[in-house]
Amino acid sequence: MGVRLMVVDDHRLLAEALASALKLRGHRVLAAAAPAAGAADLVVSRAPEVCLLGTAGPAEPGAFDPVVKIKRERPQVAVVVLGPVPSPRGIAAAFAAGASGYVRHDERIEGVERAMMKARAGEAVVAPALLQGAFAELLNPVAQPDDEGQRLLRLLTPREIEVLVRVAEGEDTRLIAAGMGIAPSTARTHVQRVLMKLGVGSRLEAAALAARTGLLDRATTATAPIAPVSRLHER
């Protein structure tokens, strides 16, 4: 018996291609959509048996908020996340939000179909390759997974920590320079070093990473006892 489902993905072509393939296999696709927002509302209004929810960034803040809302308002809908290979915590976050499964976005159509059927039957679904990768990372962690914020904080100098706090507060280069009593070119160099050490490409990403990992709270505490540069010059 075919599954009544919806396919939601940020990439419309991928959503439509997957929907077409599943229709050919006898499933009833209620909608194939690529909403910038409102994915959860769309699923709640259509109430499919299964929702295939694509995500490009399982580690991003709020990546699984749609899952939380769907399960809160339509608990009978089984949500299967389609995404890249995440960290073990990425898989855990999907299930913690209420997902019934996590499948790689490049999984063959047969694998996606099996995941749908199992999810509809109330089973938890994780592709074997994902489980293998998760166990490998847990057994051989690159860094301590329980305190990412502390690990990142150790990468920064006290001056860079202060710069990060100011970046998170929305200060531009001019304000950072004025607040720290340094030249704008020096402030710009500090910002670039912070971005490089955190492995991000923009100030917004740095602020988001700091907030998500608890680094911002730790950084604020770390900078609390630091005297302003102007006072240091007075001594």
Side-chain angles (χ1 to χ4, degrees):
M1 180 179 177
V3 177
R4 192 174 74 257
L5 69 122
M6 288 181 60
V7 182
V8 179
D9 196 293
D10 288 337
H11 300 284
R12 181 173 295 279
L13 290 179
L14 293 179
E16 293 177 349
L18 181 55
S20 297
L22 290 171
K23 283 181 181 178
L24 292 175
R25 300 178 76 87
H27 301 287
R28 182 186 174 194
V29 179
L30 302 181
D41 292 331
L42 185 62
V43 176
V44 168
S45 66
R46 298 293 183 90
E49 293 177 297
V50 176
C51 170
L52 298 178
L53 180 67
T55 178
E60 294 179 2
F64 300 117
D65 286 353
V67 181
V68 174
K69 182 171 183 178
I70 292 169
K71 297 303 292 185
R72 182 176 64 244
E73 300 189 25
R74 294 284 187 179
Q76 73 277 16
V77 176
V79 180
V80 176
V81 175
L82 303 177
V85 178
S87 67
R89 285 192 293 173
I91 296 176
F95 279 94
S100 298
Y102 194 108
V103 180
R104 286 180 54 153
H105 54 49
D106 57 354
E107 178 68 53
R108 294 173 62 88
I109 190 65
E110 294 85 0
V112 175
E113 187 175 37
R114 281 194 299 270
M116 287 166 35
M117 302 297 285
K118 288 182 177 181
R120 185 178 66 173
E123 298 180 41
V125 185
V126 182
L130 286 179
L131 280 179
Q132 184 178 7
F135 280 123
E137 184 172 332
L138 288 172
L139 291 172
N140 301 286
V142 175
Q144 291 298 325
D146 57 341
D147 200 345
E148 183 70 2
Q150 184 62 38
R151 183 187 73 80
L152 293 173
L153 189 62
R154 286 196 294 266
L155 298 176
L156 305 177
T157 67
R159 180 56 60 89
E160 290 166 350
I161 292 172
E162 184 177 356
V163 168
L164 175 61
V165 172
R166 291 178 179 277
V167 166
E169 291 175 348
E171 293 187 8
D172 59 18
T173 301
R174 179 181 57 80
L175 288 176
I176 292 173
M180 296 179 66
I182 57 179
S185 59
T186 303
R188 191 174 300 108
T189 298
H190 282 314
V191 171
Q192 290 303 316
R193 285 178 179 169
V194 169
L195 299 185
M196 179 183 67
K197 288 184 177 182
L198 296 183
V200 296
S202 70
R203 299 180 184 214
L204 183 60
E205 289 180 78
L209 177 63
R212 184 173 72 249
T213 61
L215 173 59
L216 188 56
D217 293 334
R218 294 176 183 274
T220 302
T221 301
T223 56
I226 298 177
V229 174
S230 58
R231 293 184 184 176
L232 291 177
H233 285 322
E234 290 172 1
R235 295 180 182 177

